Structure formats: structure tokens, C-alpha cells
Amino acid sequence: MKKPFARYLAESERTYNYRIKVVGDVPAGFFKELKAKCNQFDIVKMSNAKTAPVRRAVPDFPAFPNQPMSLVDVEFRYPAIEPQIKQLAQLLGLDPNKIVMMTTPYEQSMDEETAKIDSQNKDLLDDPTYPADDAQQRALKKDYGADPYDHVVLKNAYRSNFTVAGGKTPAAKTTNELPMGNKSPMTTIKRQPMPATGAIPRG
């Protein structure tokens, strides 16, 4: 069965969207040269580079703290993989460890997740409706701030004599508490008669 022309057209118009990130200072003209190198994937469009401020820890680049980060969004007609982009960046003189590429849908989902977490945790500790510490929490806080040698656990203050359902389990008896006999087990053994010999005819 032949495919309708509209389906052929839809398949031919499929594109692939990625986000390319570079950490650190980007050489002048780098993204323009990278765009020329990426023409092999038939570029539909590439956004202008955006630069994020310096951060103490850059999530995608843990080995490069306190660095700015630049990113561009690209759309290809042919799929690409990150090692290919790293290789192209290396040909342009960039350390391949300083560049990553991920699909745009994945990046957007991570951005939404981060925003959601930030909104949930915002001012949580300063919330006046947040319940105050109870007696056990205050005791634990006091113990945590004490001298290491004064911690409760080091003073053996914790006990394990808990009562479980069904009552307490009776203490096990040691061998010293078991009744001791005064008869040797050898006295109860019945020996077989000895075989008859010339010296002992009756055995």
C-alpha cells in the first residue's frame, strides 16, 4: 500500500532539536565556525549564543567551577550525537571536555523540574506555619551540638530492652545454668561378650 503524499511530506519535514553548552570563555567567532562545521547535519536554524553568569558549581561541568557558560539552540534535519559535536569543537581548538550537547526536550524537562523544586523549597525554613521543634528534636539538637565525647551514644545511654508484641522473650540459659548429672554416660553402655578363646573358653 502506498503512503499518502501528506505522510511523505511530514516525514521529510522532521527535524532534530539540541542544546549545545560551552563552559568557560568562548573564543571569538567560535559559534559561527561551529555552525559552519554543523552544516553536515543540514542546519535549519541556530540561535544566538546566550551567556549565563559565573556560578560556583556548573551542573553540566563539575570539573570547571566558577566559570561562565554559553549555550545555543540548534535545529538539524539529520540527527547528531554528542561525540560528533565534541570532535568538531576540538577541530576548532576547544577542549572537548568543555562542551556538551543534549536534546532540547530533555533540557526543557530539567529546567521545569529545577523550577518546580525551587518553588517548593522557597522560604521553607522561614515559614511561620512550619511546626516548632518538639522535645525529642530539641534534645537531639542539643546532643548534636555537644562535645563529641559527650554524645549520648558514646555514654551508652541508649538501651535495647524493648518490649515486643507477645511479651518479653525469656532470657536464654547458659550451660552453667543447666542441671548437671553425676553419673558417667559410660556406665549405661552394655558391652558385647568377648569372643571365646583358648584362655577364656566362655568368652
Side-chain angles (χ1 to χ4, degrees), residues 20-74:
I20 299 175
K21 299 179 181 180
V22 179
V23 70
D25 296 325
V26 181
F30 170 79
F31 285 110
K32 183 178 180 180
E33 295 177 355
L34 181 64
K35 182 178 181 179
K37 292 285 187 183
C38 289
N39 277 331
Q40 59 183 292
F41 305 110
D42 198 354
I43 295 179
V44 177
K45 62 182 177 181
M46 176 183 284
S47 69
N48 294 325
K50 300 176 183 178
T51 302
V54 175
R55 299 176 61 181
R56 184 175 63 179
V58 186
D60 296 295
F61 304 95
F64 299 95
N66 302 313
Q67 296 282 337
M69 185 184 68
S70 303
L71 62 89
V72 293
D73 290 322
V74 296

Side-chain angles (χ1 to χ4, degrees), residues 106-123:
Y106 172 80
E107 279 291 300
Q108 291 175 343
S109 67
M110 293 301 295
D111 292 342
E112 293 172 359
E113 186 69 19
T114 301
K116 183 178 179 181
I117 293 174
D118 290 342
S119 64
Q120 290 175 343
N121 295 337
K122 185 178 181 180
D123 300 328

